[in-house]
Amino acid sequence: MYFQPSEEHLMVRRAARDFALNELKPGVIERDELQMFPIEQIKMMGELGFMGMMVSPQYGGSGMDAISYILVIEELSKIDASAAVVMSVNNSLVCYGLEKYAAESQKQKYLRRLAKGEVIGAFCLSEPEAGSDATALSTMAIDMGDHYLLNGTKNWITNGNSASIYLVIAQSNPNKRHKGINAFIVEKGMPGFVVGSKENKMGIRGSDTHSLHFNDVKVPKENRIGEDGSGFRFAMRVLEAGRIGIAAQALGIASGAYELALNYTKERKAFGKSLADVQAIQFKLADMATNIEAARLLCLKAAWLKDNSLPYAQASSIAKLFASETAMKTTTEAVQIHGGYGYVKEYHVERLMRDAKVTQIYEGTSEIQRIVISRSVLR
Ligand code: CAA
Ligand code: FAD
């Protein structure tokens, strides 16, 4: 057991912290209010190597480990959880999915640009009638010989409009149920592919979430990822990795709110003393610190297992479940500690509270994580 971060980990965390404070913090309230995508900041994150952190340099990535990746996600999420989710989807769903499961020609064509941050990717599984129940897809991809004909609608797609490359999971043979599902690389601009309306969200409002419509889109056969019928397994495997990123996002939201609350208790006076001297407030801080420490260790454990090529599905679901519940509890208490000031935008904690909620919903709700964990422990 060794609990000290390496020099390299400390360096990358420092770089992320500086970037978050200098480039993300200014304008974060405005971007939230106006639902503005952080386009300039994402370009800079590409230049810093944050958009393909774990991708091998051979494919344009930074070649770092999953621990470095979660340290960066945590730092960015303390300030701007929207920028962090753009990064998380690009890294741990899209780039990871391509590097691990795509053919060499597909990696050459798509992965390099994604890993360098020249283009952004999206991962498209959910549909209007299929979210948690991810095998119930009605988007169809029918084999037409040299291409697949794609028809249907995807919902809630992060980077929906800002992306150029989309990994789309669709059903090719309903008789085979989940074994008929395939994953495809779809490019923006393919005839019949239309980006639908943008969602007006409670939180992570700087990220763009859209529905996508596919009307007789001809997807070349060479754009299918993996063997025929391997798409559901692909999606599940990719989500195992993705959930570590969302766990780290939740951890960052919680620690950002905690740091703000901690500082506030030292500044704010009530009844002739500072809030930091009130035991009821001290106990809130103790609970926040305890949950955050536990969430951090769970995130690190899941990332460590991945880095060491050990099974990590259960660990990533445990980390996501605990960190997202911690994010919701901690941000709610941070608003409470701020009193009325916590309820207005200038103090940042109300945004973090709104941002926290989605970490209990996307990449598998808390209930779905409990299904994954309980199946794993009972197996
Ligand atoms: N790895 C490999 N294979 C897996 C797997 C995994 N982790 N999990 C399941 N499978 C396989 C099973 O082995 C089974 O295959 P066989 O029949 O060949 O054995 C097949 O998949 C079906 O598995 P289940 O019977 O367990 O399927 P289920 O219908 O009970 O559903 C589920 C399982 C875990 C609930 C799954 O549907 C799920 O994860 N749902 C949540 C979906 C989700 O997380 N969506 C996120 C969308 S992306 C997103 O949200 C991004 C963002 O916000 C930023
Ligand atoms: P449902 O599946 O309808 O669930 C509704 C409620 O019922 C939930 O509380 C759920 O936990 C509960 N429930 C359902 N089944 C069970 C069960 N068997 N046992 C216990 N409880 C159950 N998807 C993508 O594919 N790509 C993206 O990029 C993406 N980005 C997103 C961004 C945002 C901002 C949001 C809000 C969602 C995004 N999603 C994305 C979709 C997200 O993954 C789904 O919303 C999520 O998986 C839940 O699906 P649902 O919304 O259909 O809810």
Side-chain angles (χ1 to χ4, degrees):
M1 282 300 147
Y2 187 64
F3 286 96
Q4 263 328 88
S6 71
E7 258 315 301
E8 210 173 68
H9 291 143
L10 290 174
M11 255 169 55
V12 79
R13 188 170 68 184
R14 211 171 300 127
R17 192 170 288 174
D18 290 348
F19 174 78
L21 284 173
N22 297 329
E23 307 296 342
L24 290 178
K25 195 166 181 191
V28 67
I29 292 174
E30 189 190 12
R31 289 195 299 278
D32 170 69
E33 195 152 355
L34 302 177
Q35 297 212 85
M36 281 161 61
F37 186 81
I39 184 81
E40 288 309 317
Q41 291 79 359
I42 298 295
K43 271 190 204 144
M44 288 184 232
M45 284 159 59
E47 284 154 16
L48 284 166
F50 289 171
M51 294 306 277
M53 279 191 72
M54 293 166 289
V55 175
S56 148
Q58 183 192 348
Y59 300 113
S62 306
M64 291 190 204
D65 58 10
I67 292 195
S68 304
Y69 169 64
I70 63 166
L71 293 175
V72 173
I73 293 272
E74 181 189 350
E75 289 305 319
L76 303 197
S77 305
K78 282 182 186 176
I79 307 283
D80 186 347
S82 297
V85 74
V86 176
M87 177 183 158
S88 178
V89 167
N90 201 70
N91 273 272
S92 49
L93 297 181
V94 180
C95 287
Y96 172 75
L98 289 175
E99 184 166 28
K100 182 96 178 156
Y101 298 103
E104 185 57 32
S105 55
Q106 294 171 332
K107 292 183 199 176
Q108 293 298 345
K109 189 166 177 192
Y110 298 107
L111 181 55
R112 183 173 299 277
R113 287 187 294 150
L114 285 160
K116 288 184 162 200
E118 291 169 3
V119 291
I120 298 173
F123 179 82
C124 317
L125 175 64
S126 305
E127 297 183 357
E129 304 293 333
S132 301
D133 187 3
T135 61
L137 302 180
S138 51
T139 295
M140 297 298 297
I142 301 302
D143 189 343
M144 305 297 281
D146 64 339
H147 66 271
Y148 283 87
L149 205 56
L150 185 63
N151 277 290
T153 295
K154 292 290 173 184
N155 234 18
W156 315 111
I157 304 305
T158 302
N159 303 338
N161 190 37
S162 52
S164 304
I165 295 164
Y166 300 76
L167 305 189
V168 179
I169 319 297
Q171 180 57 270
S172 296
N173 190 341
N175 295 332
K176 292 189 178 170
R177 302 168 55 86
H178 66 271
K179 288 182 178 143
I181 292 174
N182 280 310
F184 301 94
I185 305 168
V186 176
E187 294 179 40
K188 191 184 244 165
M190 282 182 170
F193 173 19
V194 179
V195 175
S197 54
K198 179 172 172 169
E199 303 296 343
N200 186 0
K201 306 193 295 289
M202 170 198 276
I204 58 162
R205 287 168 57 83
S207 71
D208 64 323
T209 313
H210 287 258
S211 55
L212 305 176
H213 307 287
F214 305 99
N215 308 309
D216 284 341
V217 180
K218 282 185 178 178
V219 182
K221 207 146 210 184
E222 64 262 25
N223 282 28
R224 190 186 73 212
I225 300 171
E227 295 294 304
D228 187 24
S230 64
F232 188 71
R233 192 179 156 82
F234 167 83
M236 291 297 111
R237 280 283 158 88
V238 165
L239 283 166
E240 287 175 9
R243 287 168 184 159
I244 303 178
I246 300 304
Q249 183 199 29
L251 169 65
I253 294 170
S255 14
Y258 165 72
E259 284 171 19
L260 290 166
L262 182 65
N263 291 335
Y264 189 77
T265 60
K266 294 174 189 162
E267 288 160 13
R268 180 72 176 169
K269 300 267 186 305
F271 299 98
K273 53 185 176 183
S274 99
L275 284 185
D277 295 323
V278 176
Q279 194 175 50
I281 301 288
Q282 291 168 352
F283 281 13
K284 283 187 196 295
L285 293 172
D287 287 346
M288 289 159 118
T290 304
N291 283 327
I292 287 169
E293 184 67 6
R296 179 170 292 112
L297 291 172
L298 291 173
C299 288
L300 287 168
K301 163 110 186 268
W304 181 87
L305 289 170
K306 181 167 183 286
D307 283 337
N308 286 280
S309 305
L310 293 163
Y312 60 88
Q314 181 183 320
S316 75
S317 281
I318 289 179
K320 187 194 179 264
L321 174 62
F322 190 83
S324 60
E325 306 281 317
T326 295
M328 205 56 234
K329 276 188 222 149
T330 308
T331 53
T332 307
E333 286 293 50
V335 170
Q336 191 68 17
I337 285 174
H338 279 76
Y341 294 96
Y343 205 66
V344 296
K345 293 189 187 290
E346 292 92 302
Y347 284 78
H348 297 283
V349 283
E350 66 80 34
R351 184 186 70 257
L352 290 167
M353 182 176 159
R354 288 186 284 107
D355 289 347
K357 186 61 205 171
V358 79
T359 65
Q360 296 177 309
I361 296 173
Y362 59 19
E363 296 206 17
T365 62
S366 290
E367 292 75 17
I368 293 303
Q369 304 314 323
R370 288 184 171 93
I371 290 178
V372 173
I373 297 161
S374 58
R375 282 184 185 171
S376 173
V377 298
L378 288 166
R379 197 172 293 138

